[in-house]
Amino acid sequence: MSIRLAGFDMAWRPERNGSGFAVGQLDGDTLVLESVRVAQNTIAQWTQVIAQESLFGIAIDAPLIIHNPFGQRPCEAELNKVFRSAKAGCHPSNLSLYPDAASVTLGIKLLQQGFTHLAQDQKFMLECYPHPSMVRLFDWSERLLYKRGSVELRKQGQVKLADAIVSLEQASLVFHIPESKAQCLQHDFIMSLRGHAVKQNEDALDALICLYIAALFATGAEGYTFGETDTGYVWVPMNGAGNRAQFDSSV
């Protein structure tokens, strides 16, 4: 079976801030990256992009279902109990904070395109969260620090994440990234970044992780669904990727 998948690291305000979007072809147990980009688009534009890619599935790092007026969604509270010690918990999502969340609008539009939440053997979408997923995939004791701190610390964290992503070439589910698509993973490129380009590369790396999560789900990898589709959910792979190389997540 050969299918097209995407990973979407969606910004809270995608029309103002960059979102990472990665597309790959899954053939058997090999995922090949086709493209990765970071762009500012409206929800209507992103919906069109997704439609044009003829995808079988997409994993999205953003809350797709929000019904609770205050506090955390049940899935966030459940996930935080498991991953708080690894510093990989979720921030709260609710209608008070996000009364018109762009991600919820996107989820509704994807339903209209024929995607189904957590579907098996048909077009699917799923909400994912890279931090706990990476803790599981790479057997890390806690999340990688590549989003906060000084610019130099963030870039050092990106280098470690890039090495971990490259290691998936040796995983049981192979993630092959052609050299022509690998700039965002190159050490020299990452360490040369300045200003907003640091955040853009972070978004690209997150999109690659989301894409790999989509491939794991599509191949029936063991995972756990925190929450439910009526109140909100997050799907997290529960086993390591089986890659031979391991990386220290501390920075």
Side-chain angles (χ1 to χ4, degrees), residues 8 27 34 82-83 85 89 99 149 153 155 162 205 241:
F8 191 21
D27 190 356
E34 292 188 352
V82 176
F83 288 100
S85 63
L153 284 176
K155 290 194 292 188
L205 296 176

Side-chain angles (χ1 to χ4, degrees), residues 22-72:
V23 177
Q25 190 80 20
L26 177 65
D27 190 356
D29 61 358
T30 300
L31 172 67
V32 178
L33 178 66
E34 292 188 352
S35 66
V36 59
R37 74 190 97 162
V38 177
Q40 294 171 237
N41 284 320
T42 65
I43 288 300
Q45 290 170 325
W46 277 121
T47 302
Q48 184 177 18
V49 166
I50 293 170
Q52 291 172 342
E53 291 289 351
S54 301
L55 300 173
F56 184 81
I58 182 170
I60 302 170
D61 177 17
L64 301 176
I65 299 168
I66 305 175
H67 294 309
N68 51 306
F70 305 104
Q72 297 176 316

Side-chain angles (χ1 to χ4, degrees), residues 56-60 64-65 75 110-111 114-128 213-214 216-218 220-221 223-237:
F56 184 81
I58 182 170
I60 302 170
L64 301 176
I65 299 168
C75 63
L110 292 185
L111 287 173
F115 290 89
T116 302
H117 290 286
L118 295 171
Q120 294 289 344
D121 301 322
Q122 57 181 302
K123 284 179 64 173
F124 70 85
M125 62 174 152
L126 60 89
E127 180 181 333
C128 66
I213 292 169
L216 287 168
F217 182 82
Y224 185 80
T225 303
F226 293 91
E228 301 175 348
T229 55
D230 58 344
T231 59
Y233 68 91
V234 180
W235 189 83
V236 177

Side-chain angles (χ1 to χ4, degrees), residues 61-246:
D61 177 17
L64 301 176
I65 299 168
I66 305 175
H67 294 309
N68 51 306
F70 305 104
Q72 297 176 316
R73 296 181 297 167
C75 63
E76 292 160 350
E78 185 182 347
L79 185 149
N80 289 351
K81 289 179 182 178
V82 176
F83 288 100
R84 184 177 290 112
S85 63
K87 301 178 183 178
C90 295
H91 294 294
S93 303
N94 59 59
L95 293 174
S96 178
L97 289 171
Y98 310 110
D100 299 299
S103 54
V104 173
T105 300
L106 177 66
I108 293 170
K109 290 185 178 296
L110 292 185
L111 287 173
Q112 295 168 353
Q113 284 189 18
F115 290 89
T116 302
H117 290 286
L118 295 171
Q120 294 289 344
D121 301 322
Q122 57 181 302
K123 284 179 64 173
F124 70 85
M125 62 174 152
L126 60 89
E127 180 181 333
C128 66
Y129 188 40
H131 283 313
S133 296
M134 289 187 286
V135 166
R136 290 296 192 191
L137 287 175
F138 304 118
D139 297 320
W140 287 340
S141 59
E142 61 182 49
R143 69 176 174 88
L144 182 66
L145 301 178
Y146 66 103
K147 292 180 178 288
R148 295 185 179 181
S150 69
V151 170
E152 288 305 307
L153 284 176
R154 288 163 57 199
K155 290 194 292 188
Q156 290 172 26
Q158 286 191 28
V159 165
K160 292 189 175 186
L161 177 54
D163 285 347
I165 292 171
V166 169
S167 80
L168 295 173
E169 180 83 42
Q170 307 299 324
S172 52
L173 175 60
V174 175
F175 191 7
H176 176 64
I177 300 175
E179 186 175 352
S180 62
K181 313 291 184 185
Q183 184 181 51
C184 65
L185 302 170
Q186 295 168 355
H187 291 196
D188 289 347
F189 174 75
I190 293 171
M191 297 309 295
S192 72
L193 296 173
R194 297 290 183 271
H196 186 60
V198 178
K199 178 62 168 66
Q200 287 184 310
N201 205 63
E202 172 195 307
D203 295 335
L205 296 176
D206 283 342
L208 294 180
I209 291 292
C210 291
L211 172 60
Y212 193 72
I213 292 169
L216 287 168
F217 182 82
T219 55
E222 183 179 1
Y224 185 80
T225 303
F226 293 91
E228 301 175 348
T229 55
D230 58 344
T231 59
Y233 68 91
V234 180
W235 189 83
V236 177
M238 299 308 290
N239 288 332
N243 49 314
R244 290 192 289 270
Q246 295 297 326

